[in-house]
Amino acid sequence: MIRSKTQPRQQPEGELDAGKLELGEDFQDAECLLISEVKVLLEAQYEARKDDKDLSGVFTKTLEYVQKFSRYTNRDTIKEVRALLKPTNLEPFESAQLGNLCCSEYEEAKSLIPSIGDKVSDEDLDSLLKQMDSLKKYQG
């Protein structure tokens, strides 16, 4: 069935809400990647297949997207960011969001990722964000 552009999209029963970590069964045990990690993976795929001339439009557009929005430019920095995020009490989705959004203040992070709530103290979150910002600024 084709919907017209004016017809509203029907929501599934039990509407999902990422702000409450209600991501659905498909994402229950899924690994959440940083955009920078996706960039590394897609660039490796591109290098391996660039002579094929068989790259789909979706692949090309996705590669352009991650190249534009990747916050960390080298693998060492990505590993360091992952290492900073690992010991937190955050869910993988929340960690990935923190790494992707690169918030400058803990209030901003808690506003954009409401499920963080009280899992991390304001001081610890502020320290984490400052360390991530420092990595972003001084990456090679």
Side-chain angles (χ1 to χ4, degrees):
M1 177 180 164
I2 299 175
R3 281 183 274 117
S4 71
K5 290 184 180 187
T6 58
Q7 187 180 19
R9 182 179 210 177
Q10 291 183 358
Q11 294 296 322
E13 270 187 55
E15 193 171 318
L16 305 177
D17 184 354
K20 297 177 185 172
L21 289 180
E22 297 168 358
L23 304 174
E25 288 182 29
D26 292 343
F27 294 96
Q28 206 67 353
D29 296 319
E31 182 68 31
C32 298
L33 299 176
L34 300 174
I35 291 172
S36 300
E37 292 170 318
V38 175
K39 176 182 172 257
V40 169
L41 295 172
L42 292 182
E43 285 179 342
Q45 284 288 316
Y46 177 78
E47 287 302 316
R49 298 176 40 199
K50 66 182 174 187
D51 296 331
D52 287 348
K53 305 281 188 218
D54 227 9
L55 298 173
S56 74
V58 173
F59 180 89
T60 306
K61 291 283 187 189
T62 305
L63 181 58
E64 289 171 7
Y65 177 90
V66 297
Q67 287 172 333
K68 182 175 183 176
F69 292 105
S70 178
R71 304 291 189 194
Y72 310 104
T73 57
N74 68 53
R75 290 181 184 200
D76 291 334
T77 303
I78 296 168
K79 288 178 187 176
E80 290 182 51
V81 169
R82 269 290 174 198
L84 285 174
L85 293 168
K86 196 170 209 112
T88 65
N89 293 332
L90 301 176
E91 295 294 324
F93 178 77
E94 296 165 325
S95 293
Q97 291 302 309
L98 273 180
N100 288 331
L101 293 171
C102 294
C103 300
S104 57
E105 297 181 8
Y106 72 88
E107 294 98 341
E108 179 185 18
K110 286 189 170 189
S111 174
L112 293 173
I113 313 166
S115 61
I116 290 176
D118 295 326
K119 292 180 183 178
V120 180
S121 72
D122 293 347
E123 296 81 22
D124 289 345
L125 184 56
D126 191 51
S127 173
L128 176 66
L129 295 173
K130 285 180 179 168
Q131 291 175 62
M132 288 171 40
D133 187 52
S134 178
L135 287 171
K136 188 174 74 168
K137 285 180 182 174
Y138 299 111
Q139 59 190 333

